Amino acid sequence: MSGQLWIEVSTDEKDEQTTALAMLLAELVRYRRDVEKELESIDEIDVADIYWDEQFQAKAFWTGYVLDLRRGGRLRYVVAHMADRYPARREDLEYYLKLKLTKRGTAWYEPPDPLDAMFVGSGMSQPMINRGKLRAELRKLNKEGFRTLNITGGSASGKTYSYQLVQVLARSEGFPVLLIDVAEWGTERFGALELAQRLAGHFKFAISADVVADVPDPHTRARLLMNELRDNFPPVRSPRWIVIDGLDRANVDPDARGLVEKLLHSVDVNAELGEVKLVVTGFDGLVPPQTRKEPISPITRPDVRQLFAVAAAHLGYPATDAELDGWTSQVWDGRDPVADEFALAGETIYGIARETICSLIGQSA
């Protein structure tokens, strides 16, 4: 509906606004006792309904709770309360009370097939370069009955960025996605208990730290926590995707990798969690034989040219070879595709597509 407010729309999808608001709230209220105190003072909030991780982390809590509040139509009350309590950040918080939801169908760029998207993310501003393998494997998960996918690649290769293509697919297909992002833990340890409790909390049950108390062996810890997940997991009868991102980070404990290995087997081989699709990034352990794999390959000059060719076709502009070569040169020349600086080319690519190609479409209309 035109003019609908973002804060009033129920969703299972963690978008950029959800993440930004969660980070703001975590900055303002960092400790569990303070969070409980704030929430208890809001008439519309029942603290008894909240699931609390035994090892409370503000960023992780607020990321999940903002989504819970949106689903229940109560996020407005929390944001308004915080705006009153923290006047120095009132303007930042009130932004979310006024934010309009972008009407579907009015984006500058909409591919005919979500998995053909050459631009993703907020405002469809981030180019998706050289990910043909990812697109093919996501199609297999979505349409061909495969259940798991492992995305691997070097530092800054685009593994995390893959989630944005899953989001595009989820919006089109209407299935919910749960993202567990190891980056939210910063430098704090990310172990099997943290992973299991995040999964359990999302599906509305609890796992006590007592399950693995005084159990030092990482394989045993992983096995015990997998048993808890399997025994308590609710029936999932319609597609639900789980993305665990950042398993190659330095703060990931061995027992977390062990639990991921067991999760992959549980989802892919035994189908014990129902209609769950599991995507992991940076996992270097054992995976089931049928797990789909995408080792990210380096970006090449033809990849950039292909992006412009496909995007122009989606936009309805018949680009010439000379135009494609010229746009590619603007992006590629003078840059090192191996260095991190190449990521900065995304803004240049977006500018050419959003401004140059769109203006050419207007001139030819």
Side-chain angles (χ1 to χ4, degrees), residues 305-323:
R305 191 181 191 279
Q306 177 71 3
L307 180 146
F308 284 127
V310 175
H314 289 173
L315 291 166
Y317 180 71
T320 66
D321 286 342
E323 286 173 321

Side-chain angles (χ1 to χ4, degrees), residues 212-265:
V212 289
D214 302 319
V215 180
D217 180 64
H219 299 289
T220 304
R221 290 170 64 87
R223 176 175 56 79
L224 292 173
L225 289 167
M226 186 65 237
N227 290 344
E228 288 292 307
L229 286 170
R230 184 179 55 244
D231 293 346
N232 292 282
F233 213 81
V236 178
R237 297 187 175 89
S238 58
R240 179 181 290 270
W241 291 49
I242 298 171
V243 179
I244 305 174
D245 182 35
L247 292 167
D248 54 350
R249 287 178 171 266
N251 60 315
V252 177
D253 287 348
D255 63 352
R257 295 188 178 91
L259 180 55
V260 169
E261 183 176 307
K262 295 182 184 305
L263 275 169
L264 287 164
H265 190 273

Side-chain angles (χ1 to χ4, degrees), residues 263-280:
L263 275 169
L264 287 164
H265 190 273
S266 178
V267 170
D268 203 337
V269 178
N270 299 329
E272 294 171 316
L273 307 186
E275 292 299 313
V276 166
K277 309 285 186 176
L278 178 60
V279 179
V280 298

